[in-house]
Amino acid sequence: MNIYDFDDTIFRGNSFRRFFGYCLLRLPYLVLFTPVFLAAVILNAVKLIDKNTYLTWLGSFVVFVPNVEKRVKKFWDKEMCRIKPWYIAQRRDDDVVVSASPAYIVDEACRRLGVKCIATKVDPRTAKVDGVHCYGADKVLRYKGANLGGAPKTFYSDNWSDEPMFAYAESGYLVKGDKITLVYSGGNKIADKHTKK
């Protein structure tokens, strides 16, 4: 079984940010949400809020988006072309995506790809997160909690915040653009955070 992060790993870009941009173009009043974004970024930068609170604040714009499910489907009609070709070439039916992005966004892309999705559970009607964001070490916990079997054969991610998953998988690969580098093998680090892009 192969496990993949989503944003900037198998998807070219950040699906959450692109969905916000997609909504903003169609719902210009969302520009009024900018102060919330700025406050979240500043407070997170000076460590006055934790990662979970920061991500929750950023995602709260969705409360003001009508017909979210319909908009997500139209968003993916436009954005599926951003799935990276190298992933399409090696996709398997038992692949699993484990993402920090909201499930209400990523689920639809995974459904179209025909793979399982584990992502941050967010109620788009309230922006409330069920538990914590599927981020860092919590990705390992969420994967184990899904009872999909033992440790995955491989894990791919663009970010060292996913180091717990790199270490958990038999092999961990760092993805930078279309370059894929083996950084963990058998739970042992064989490359560091300064691996060149």
Side-chain angles (χ1 to χ4, degrees):
M1 182 182 298
N2 300 318
I3 313 296
Y4 300 83
D5 176 47
F6 189 75
D7 297 319
D8 289 315
T9 300
I10 67 169
F11 178 73
R12 199 173 304 282
N14 181 288
S15 60
F16 171 80
R17 287 196 292 264
R18 293 191 68 81
F19 182 65
F20 175 74
Y22 174 88
C23 292
L24 181 62
L25 286 174
R26 290 153 182 82
L27 304 168
Y29 61 80
L30 288 177
V31 73
L32 298 174
F33 197 76
T34 303
V36 177
F37 272 109
L38 292 175
V41 170
I42 292 168
L43 293 175
N44 180 64
V46 297
K47 309 296 184 188
L48 289 179
I49 57 175
D50 62 20
K51 187 76 173 183
N52 200 57
T53 302
Y54 167 66
L55 294 173
T56 300
W57 282 23
L58 292 184
S60 59
F61 81 92
V62 73
V63 173
F64 305 102
V65 176
N67 304 312
V68 173
E69 185 176 327
K70 183 177 179 181
R71 289 184 188 278
V72 166
K73 288 181 179 178
K74 288 186 175 181
F75 170 75
W76 285 114
D77 287 345
K78 177 177 177 289
E79 295 289 312
M80 286 301 291
C81 63
R82 298 181 69 86
I83 300 295
K84 296 181 181 181
W86 67 260
Y87 172 69
I88 297 298
Q90 70 182 45
R91 189 205 74 84
R92 293 175 37 163
D93 290 343
D94 64 347
D95 286 348
V96 180
V97 165
V98 183
S99 174
S101 288
Y104 72 80
I105 297 175
V106 184
D107 274 347
E108 176 64 15
C110 292
R111 184 190 68 77
R112 296 184 187 202
L113 288 170
V115 300
K116 184 170 179 56
C117 178
I118 299 172
T120 301
K121 298 176 183 177
V122 179
D123 183 343
R125 297 168 299 177
T126 63
K128 184 178 180 180
V129 177
D130 181 2
V132 297
H133 282 81
C134 185
Y135 177 85
D138 286 303
K139 285 191 177 183
V140 177
L141 296 177
R142 288 287 305 279
Y143 172 79
K144 289 180 177 179
N147 296 315
L148 298 174
K153 182 177 180 181
T154 59
F155 175 69
Y156 297 78
S157 176
D158 70 301
N159 201 308
W160 278 100
S161 66
D162 285 329
E163 190 165 3
M165 278 296 294
F166 284 142
Y168 179 61
E170 292 179 25
S171 300
Y173 292 88
L174 185 69
V175 178
K176 293 298 179 184
D178 292 317
K179 181 180 179 181
I180 301 170
T181 304
L182 181 66
V183 292
Y184 262 85
S185 180
N188 298 309
K189 185 187 291 188
I190 59 174
D192 62 27
K193 296 182 182 182
H194 303 292
T195 297
K196 294 182 180 178
K197 295 183 180 181

